[in-house]
Amino acid sequence: MSLSRFAFPALPVPPSWYPGHMSQFTRMLPALLTRTDVVLELRDARLPLTSINRTFEGALKRWRAERFRVADHAATSATHTAARVCERIVVFSKRDLVPEWGLQPFRLAMASKFPDQRVMFASWNKPRDLKTLSSMLVNIAKEHPHVPELNVLVVGMPNVGKSTLLNALRNIGIAGPTPKALRTSAQPGLTRALSTRLKLSADPLVYSFDTPGVMLPFLGRGDRGAERGVKLALIAGIKEGLYDIESLAAYLLYRLNVLNSTSPAYLTLLPDGSAPTADIDAFLDLLARRLGMLKRGGIPDMQRAATWFVRWWREEGGSVYASAPLATPSQQPLGAAAQPQRAGWGFDLEWEVAPAGGASVGAIQAHMEACIDTYVQDAEREASEGGGVSSTQVKKREREEKMAKRAARTQARLAAKKGS
């Protein structure tokens, strides 16, 4: 069966999940950056574009502009005032859950599109990755001996592993036993406030702050916003229970088919000889029977099977997908016109592959750069159209502006009365 084309599943309207502590931290961010030397931004390698938090970008751009202004002044000043450090490191966590063949092309694509960012991939269960990141921070501190201590601010979306990473870095950088300093959880939203400073290295001195995971205030309108929400829910980046589990299962089936139409990762769950399918009901029926998830009368329990399927993806399925080689276009029937097929890496990068398409690092990098360009253009278009703010948030802002104007008029009248 050829699955070169798939019907995009119907997805629910994305929920609103933006607790007060997230809004509070976003307001605090500009002030925190004034005493920050390195921004360590964590993203999820499975969603390398969706896990970008666009609400940080404005504050980070202003931070860099101010630091460069200070650096220019220091270079021309007679007193040669030491310029502050200004580094942005983007770490893509869970590298073991995406195929190895895509790491180098994506690293090159990011370097081409975002030359101001240092990029690395890491998995918290690989000590070598953690030691590499620890050495990177220590080396930055050594490159700036005039700075008495290096302050690192760790930011990112919910559930990308910020607290887990800092506990591990602290264990590497501090000699002797170091008890876990930060609580961790598989559910998003555990860290709700800025942590106290954690020492990551004694010589040179490196300190860090853990921060709450911050969600996008609004996931967007239409299919784009709906898909963004489902992707984040699949990696447990959104609070459990805000999504219907069968909607998540339908999108997961669709995406696994896109990633490998001839041998998708879910085939390991089905009886031998099963063929790929784009029918979520047929798939869940078969999976429920295979796992013995039956209601009274032998009726397959579809919801239970959907829950199991999503949990399998989070705990095991990612590794099954990551271990598969790069899928090559399937053979076309003799005499048939060549049809392009879909390929991709993670859940964000997708492109068409011709039957004779190349699979070199350069060819894959070019596809990935095109995906990044599309993401940036879409983000800019959404921002210009107000797509990053919900209608409820617009009404709230308008109400706050009216109240502020009313208060200003009242103050002006009172001031006028006192002056008369």
Side-chain angles (χ1 to χ4, degrees), residues 13-37:
V13 175
S16 175
W17 184 55
Y18 195 65
H21 70 274
M22 295 184 182
S23 178
Q24 181 182 23
F25 171 73
T26 303
R27 291 193 299 269
M28 291 170 53
L29 181 58
L32 290 170
L33 289 171
T34 61
R35 47 198 173 101
T36 295
D37 303 304

Side-chain angles (χ1 to χ4, degrees), residues 269-270 282-292 305-306 308-309:
L269 308 176
L270 303 181
F283 170 75
L284 291 178
D285 183 287
L286 189 58
L287 182 63
R289 295 181 187 279
R290 175 89 163 103
L291 298 174
W308 189 94
F309 181 42

Side-chain angles (χ1 to χ4, degrees), residues 201-375:
S201 170
D203 184 21
L205 279 173
V206 179
Y207 289 93
S208 72
F209 288 100
D210 188 21
T211 66
V214 176
M215 196 65 174
L216 295 172
F218 179 57
L219 291 171
R221 299 183 177 90
D223 285 344
R224 186 177 293 114
E227 186 175 17
R228 187 177 290 137
V230 169
K231 285 179 179 180
L232 291 168
L234 279 172
I235 65 165
I238 291 180
K239 188 176 180 181
E240 198 79 46
L242 292 179
Y243 268 96
D244 170 65
I245 196 67
E246 292 188 40
S247 295
L248 298 186
Y251 181 80
L252 177 57
L253 182 72
Y254 162 80
R255 184 53 61 182
L256 292 179
N257 278 329
V258 168
L259 290 172
N260 190 332
S261 62
T262 57
S263 183
Y266 63 77
L267 285 185
T268 60
L269 308 176
L270 303 181
D272 292 342
S274 297
T277 177
D279 185 335
I280 183 61
D281 291 330
F283 170 75
L284 291 178
D285 183 287
L286 189 58
L287 182 63
R289 295 181 187 279
R290 175 89 163 103
L291 298 174
M293 295 180 175
L294 305 176
K295 299 179 182 179
R296 183 175 298 177
I299 300 172
D301 191 334
M302 310 284 269
Q303 184 171 20
R304 189 178 169 197
T307 302
W308 189 94
F309 181 42
V310 171
R311 185 179 298 118
W312 165 83
W313 168 253
R314 292 172 179 167
E315 297 174 358
E316 302 174 37
S319 298
V320 174
Y321 155 65
S323 62
L326 174 62
T328 56
S330 58
Q331 293 294 323
Q332 306 290 330
L334 188 62
Q339 296 292 327
Q341 298 182 46
R342 306 303 291 175
W345 187 75
F347 277 17
D348 283 341
L349 307 176
E350 180 183 342
W351 55 85
E352 284 194 344
V353 180
S360 65
V361 170
I364 296 170
Q365 178 188 342
H367 287 306
M368 290 180 166
E369 288 187 13
C371 292
I372 294 172
D373 286 338
T374 299
Y375 165 80

Side-chain angles (χ1 to χ4, degrees), residues 51-123:
S51 58
I52 296 174
N53 194 320
R54 301 191 307 274
T55 59
F56 293 155
E57 292 303 310
L60 292 176
K61 286 180 180 177
R62 289 190 291 273
W63 170 65
R64 288 183 62 82
E66 176 61 20
R67 287 295 169 89
F68 286 133
R69 186 188 66 78
V70 172
D72 291 341
H73 173 74
T76 58
S77 172
T79 57
H80 298 290
T81 306
R84 292 291 300 276
V85 187
C86 181
E87 293 281 356
R88 184 176 181 181
I89 303 173
V90 177
V91 179
F92 291 93
S93 64
K94 300 179 174 65
R95 65 169 289 176
D96 54 322
L97 298 182
V98 291
E100 187 76 21
W101 56 259
L103 297 182
Q104 181 64 0
F106 188 71
R107 188 182 292 111
L108 294 172
M110 287 292 292
S112 172
K113 297 298 178 180
F114 304 103
D116 60 319
Q117 301 174 10
R118 300 193 189 200
V119 173
M120 70 168 290
F121 289 89
S123 177

